[in-house]
Amino acid sequence: QGFKDNLHAVFCLAENAVGPRATRPDDIHVLYSGKTVEINNTDAEGRLILADGVAYACKDLGADIILDMATLTGAQGIATGKYHAAVLTNNEEWEKACVKAGRNCGDLVHPLVYCPELHFSEFTSAVADMKNSVADRDNTPSSCAGLFIASHIGFDWPGVWVHIDIAAPVHTGERATGYGVALLLSLFGGASEDPLLNLVSPLGCNGDAPPEEMERDSKRRRLV
């Protein structure tokens, strides 16, 4: 799409299968960030590789904007429903941009509470820097799961961090919806050479273009 900035995609993938090297309760892992994690929930495994992914993006790629997107928590569907993904970010402008981008493209998004000073204590461990799952499942677990990931770049990191939990809207019944592709294109479209993406992006210079201009451009795109 003619992206003009330096863009990296990091795929955090692992096979969730039982084996002799499987993670066990009470294991302590040293993650790529250098922080230690006590395993108290073997079903909260995805966040371990996501934490490594954002740490890699920060340390090795030198990213100043890090967006992680994953089907992270079943609680997301309870927090924001089956149509809206949940967004957690350290930047209010980007929170608003995610919501607007979702409305522009149809991949809907709604904010979660970002409050690490109150919620990160859910991961307190006596033997490691943190546990990998919350102590109280009634205390905004989707927000806390995102904070686990953010902690591996640090809550004082000066860049923009955005976490999008897409657990519910990625499927309807037994079928995938393709959720997330349009959202990313809309959100980052302002840095693209594509004029239509420039129009729908909430962060682009043309984000507030009149509807008639957008309609004319859409017609030109369809003709092409």
Side-chain angles (χ1 to χ4, degrees):
Q1 300 297 325
F3 199 77
K4 294 175 287 190
D5 290 339
N6 192 18
L7 174 67
H8 299 271
V10 179
F11 291 87
C12 305
L13 306 174
E15 184 177 10
N16 188 11
V18 176
R21 299 181 65 187
T23 296
R24 295 173 171 84
D26 299 330
D27 281 353
I28 296 178
H29 293 279
V30 181
L31 269 61
Y32 190 62
S33 64
K35 296 183 179 181
T36 54
V37 176
E38 175 191 356
I39 303 301
N40 66 326
N41 183 348
T42 55
D43 192 43
E45 83 292 345
R47 64 194 63 181
L48 301 176
I49 54 172
L50 285 166
D52 278 355
V54 298
Y56 175 79
C58 180
K59 292 166 59 175
D60 293 71
L61 301 179
D64 53 5
I65 300 169
I66 297 177
L67 184 148
D68 70 82
M69 178 181 286
T71 55
L72 194 63
T73 65
Q76 176 271 307
I78 299 171
T80 61
K82 63 181 181 180
Y83 301 114
H84 292 72
V87 60
L88 185 74
T89 175
N90 64 354
N91 186 290
E92 186 177 1
E93 179 186 358
W94 277 76
E95 179 183 281
K96 293 176 181 177
C98 287
V99 173
K100 189 172 181 180
R103 290 173 179 167
N104 288 346
C105 72
D107 282 353
L108 300 172
V109 180
H110 192 77
L112 292 173
V113 175
Y114 178 82
C115 192
E117 62 270 28
L118 294 181
H119 292 150
F120 191 66
S121 59
E122 290 289 345
F123 296 105
T124 298
S125 168
V127 293
D129 291 319
M130 68 195 78
K131 294 182 179 180
N132 77 317
S133 189
V134 295
D136 184 356
R137 289 182 174 272
D138 292 329
N139 189 17
T140 187
S142 292
S143 289
C144 291
L147 292 177
F148 177 91
I149 298 168
S151 69
H152 291 271
I153 53 176
F155 297 121
D156 57 350
W157 184 60
V160 174
W161 169 77
V162 180
H163 163 71
I164 302 180
D165 192 336
I166 60 175
V170 295
H171 67 91
T172 175
E174 297 181 353
R175 300 291 183 181
T177 62
Y179 182 98
V181 177
L183 178 63
L184 291 176
L185 286 172
S186 176
L187 184 60
F188 292 105
S192 167
E193 295 176 352
D194 188 300
L196 184 59
L197 292 182
N198 288 167
L199 287 171
V200 299
S201 174
L203 296 168
C205 57
N206 297 321
D208 296 321
E212 60 272 13
E213 288 187 20
M214 186 179 296
E215 183 180 354
R216 283 199 302 271
D217 194 77
S218 297
K219 289 178 179 176
R220 287 197 296 271
R221 298 285 298 177
R222 285 199 294 270
L223 288 171
V224 173

